[in-house]
Amino acid sequence: MRGRFAGEIIEPGDAGYDQARIVWNAIVDRHPALVVRPTSVDDVVSAIQFAHDKDLVVAVRGGAHSVAGFSTCDGGMVIDLSGMRAVAVDPNRKRATAQGGAHLSKLDKSAQAHGLVCPVGVVGHTGVAGLTLGGGMGRLQRKLGLTIDNLESVNLVTAAGERLRASEEENSDLFWGLRGAGANFGVATSFEFKLHPFGGTIFQGMVAFPVERSLEVAEQVREFVATHADVHTALAFTKMEDLGGRPVFVVGSTHAGSVDEAERDLRVFRELLPLVDTFGAKPYLEVQGMADESSGWGQRFYTKAGFLAHLNDEVISLCAELVETIPAGAELSLWAQGGAIGRISDDAMAYTGRDAPFNISAELAWTDPADDEERIAWGRAAIAKVKPFMTAGRYVNDVSEAGTDGAQIYGAAKYQRLVALKRKYDPENFFRLNQNIKP
Ligand SMILES: Cc1cc2nc3c(=O)[nH]c(=O)nc-3n(C[C@H](O)[C@H](O)[C@H](O)COP(=O)(O)OP(=O)(O)OC[C@H]3O[C@@H](n4cnc5c(N)ncnc54)[C@H](O)[C@@H]3O)c2cc1C
């Protein structure tokens, strides 16, 4: 392979091996037979060919943030795209092209250098690839849609080593599947995104209330979300360290309008006299990077999530009850959808759940392996209690358990369509380290 592969090849025993085999979630501890770092599409083709020849299972890695650990493996080959992280912006066409290993921070910074933006997630070191192929939720989702709603095309190398372009015009069936189930069909070597004019300042922050006031505050939240369809609204139930571990109900928001508009719109929450208030005008890139350190590599992490049919008082009361037993470093997070997300038909792409008003996730981070069982059990039990309030679909990037039934993630009809696509583009299930669509 070394003769026809320009990038790095790392094997057990090599100096960089232990660094190369790990992924973001420290729970995942696997030992691949080799990690290869392509520097070009030709290298990707060579790597796929070699894995075929040697019958190696393949893990594809963008930013390595898969909570389930799909971007590493035992005994197989990791195709690590960290040698392909470039982002190019065409300000005239308002388009960005990101290579398959690019980080969100690079896309954010490159676009903002031209006064433009693509809506992406909230932690800069997350991979553009994995985030986009699953959907892409973020602070601008109600204003500009999910990341996939701004995806123009994907260049892909298939299991057969074929180079394909998928867009609304070319291989449109594949393009449909890539937007929500995209880790199943090949190695994405580049993505083209639509960009939007966007100033460098955003109004962002949160207000926190004693959890006992959840129902009263939730009434305002429902009204706010219904009347401000473009404003990002993210709720959380957690124990706040700064308040001595007191259980709180947090209302977070990112308002992309003018500072005056944001002050006016969000006043309703300030007038409720919160315990904490961090709302203010901030540089967009600073906001996009503010969780990078607290969400750094090496922590242990579990999440379980689903879409809510309503944000009614029963759900709020249940969350308020659950937060009483929530472990340190954990939260129940509820993100409003609607707005630009809801303006696209749920059938338009593989991503399933865009009609739901909220996504809810239990997110748990910790460091001691001795806590693994307890933290994971808490997350599972919490979401099991919320399940009666959930509606169809799951956000695939929030599904931590490998082997989850695809029909649960995409619904039965879409899953059948995805199976047909898988049979067409990857009939031997070469790309199977993902929430797998079985051909
Ligand atoms: C700290 C943190 C913050 C997050 N924040 C958000 C957020 O704000 N919004 C949101 O929507 N999600 C968020 N997520 C979830 C995140 O979108 C998913 O974990 C996503 O899959 C990560 O992509 P990645 O490229 O970093 O991961 P990887 O582990 O590299 O890959 C994830 C999956 O995509 C596949 N894949 C990766 N690169 C390619 C490629 N080039 N071609 C084909 N397949 C590929 C992998 O095989 C794997 O199945 C977050 C996750 C973490 C850990």
Side-chain angles (χ1 to χ4, degrees):
M1 180 173 175
R2 289 187 194 275
R4 55 188 160 101
F5 188 85
E8 241 182 311
I9 299 176
I10 304 162
E11 294 175 90
D14 288 349
Y17 177 75
D18 272 330
Q19 198 55 39
R21 73 181 181 82
I22 59 166
V23 289
W24 179 87
N25 190 353
I27 291 186
V28 180
D29 182 22
R30 299 193 187 126
H31 294 79
L34 74 168
V35 176
V36 302
R37 294 191 170 139
T39 53
S40 66
V41 179
D42 284 349
D43 275 356
V44 172
V45 174
S46 297
I48 289 175
Q49 189 58 54
F50 185 81
H52 265 303
D53 292 349
K54 301 290 175 196
D55 207 14
L56 291 171
V57 67
V58 162
V60 184
R61 182 182 300 170
H65 280 45
S66 157
V67 174
F70 289 134
S71 47
T72 188
C73 57
D74 279 323
M77 173 196 273
V78 175
I79 300 181
D80 171 4
L81 291 151
S82 59
M84 297 175 69
R85 287 204 165 138
V87 174
V89 171
D90 180 340
N92 297 321
R93 288 178 59 239
K94 297 194 181 64
R95 294 286 184 273
T97 305
Q99 283 189 309
H103 284 166
L104 303 187
S105 57
K106 179 81 175 164
L107 178 53
D108 271 338
K109 286 175 191 161
S110 305
Q112 276 284 277
H114 299 279
L116 298 167
V117 79
C118 177
V120 293
V122 301
V123 174
H125 42 75
T126 309
V128 167
L131 176 118
T132 304
L133 295 169
M137 297 179 174
R139 296 186 172 97
L140 296 174
Q141 64 178 24
R142 300 186 88 211
K143 186 173 176 62
L144 300 174
L146 300 168
T147 308
I148 40 173
D149 302 344
N150 295 274
L151 185 63
E152 291 281 295
S153 66
V154 180
N155 285 315
L156 190 84
V157 180
T158 66
E162 195 184 351
R163 297 153 202 242
L164 289 182
R165 185 167 182 275
S167 67
E168 291 292 2
E169 289 78 36
E170 289 169 76
N171 301 301
S172 58
D173 57 346
L174 177 61
F175 193 51
W176 179 88
L178 286 173
R179 290 171 294 169
N184 270 276
F185 302 107
V187 178
T189 52
S190 66
F191 299 82
E192 191 187 17
F193 297 103
K194 208 165 27 191
L195 302 177
H196 306 265
F198 191 74
T201 303
I202 199 146
F203 199 87
Q204 185 274 345
M206 62 88 173
V207 281
F209 300 91
V211 77
E212 298 77 20
R213 295 185 63 196
S214 301
L215 288 176
E216 169 204 351
V217 177
E219 209 175 309
Q220 296 293 340
V221 170
R222 281 190 288 266
E223 170 75 15
F224 182 82
V225 167
T227 51
H228 298 83
D230 284 2
V231 181
H232 177 55
T233 312
L235 316 174
F237 289 85
T238 189
K239 284 183 177 156
M240 202 169 232
E241 261 178 54
D242 294 351
L243 297 175
R246 182 172 183 174
V248 287
F249 178 41
V250 175
V251 181
S253 182
T254 305
H255 195 303
S258 71
V259 174
D260 284 350
E261 283 165 353
E263 294 265 15
R264 183 199 63 208
D265 292 348
L266 292 165
R267 191 182 308 139
V268 57
F269 296 113
R270 292 183 140 164
E271 283 173 352
L272 292 174
L273 304 178
L275 299 168
V276 180
D277 178 348
T278 69
F279 282 138
K282 299 165 194 177
Y284 178 67
L285 289 178
E286 187 184 304
V287 169
Q288 283 293 87
M290 73 188 186
D292 286 6
E293 214 178 297
S294 58
S295 300
W297 278 58
Q299 51 193 295
R300 309 177 85 78
F301 191 82
Y302 178 79
T303 185
K304 197 163 179 78
F307 292 107
L308 285 176
H310 308 281
L311 187 73
N312 58 21
D313 280 354
E314 273 174 282
V315 175
I316 294 293
S317 298
L318 175 58
C319 292
E321 184 191 313
L322 286 166
V323 78
E324 297 295 340
T325 61
I326 204 167
E331 67 176 41
L332 284 169
S333 166
L334 297 90
W335 280 26
Q337 296 204 115
I341 298 176
R343 283 177 216 126
I344 291 177
S345 154
D346 197 71
D347 287 336
M349 306 169 197
Y351 179 93
T352 303
R354 65 169 72 236
D355 292 338
F358 273 85
N359 183 59
I360 182 168
S361 54
E363 298 176 2
L364 300 103
W366 66 100
T367 50
D368 187 347
D371 293 336
D372 287 2
E373 220 171 288
E374 184 205 325
R375 301 297 164 106
I376 293 170
W378 192 92
R380 284 186 182 145
I383 294 301
K385 286 195 173 152
V386 178
K387 210 168 172 191
F389 304 99
M390 284 183 183
T391 181
R394 297 278 183 277
Y395 178 31
V396 69
N397 282 347
D398 277 348
V399 182
S400 295
E401 274 103 1
T404 299
D405 177 11
Q408 213 184 82
I409 300 172
Y410 302 105
K414 278 195 187 178
Y415 187 65
Q416 281 318 308
R417 193 169 162 184
L418 286 166
V419 169
L421 271 183
K422 185 77 173 174
R423 286 182 184 150
K424 180 172 172 188
Y425 290 99
D426 184 18
E428 288 167 17
N429 207 7
F430 181 78
F431 296 106
R432 58 183 177 276
L433 296 182
N434 42 43
Q435 289 302 342
N436 196 230
I437 311 290
K438 299 206 169 38

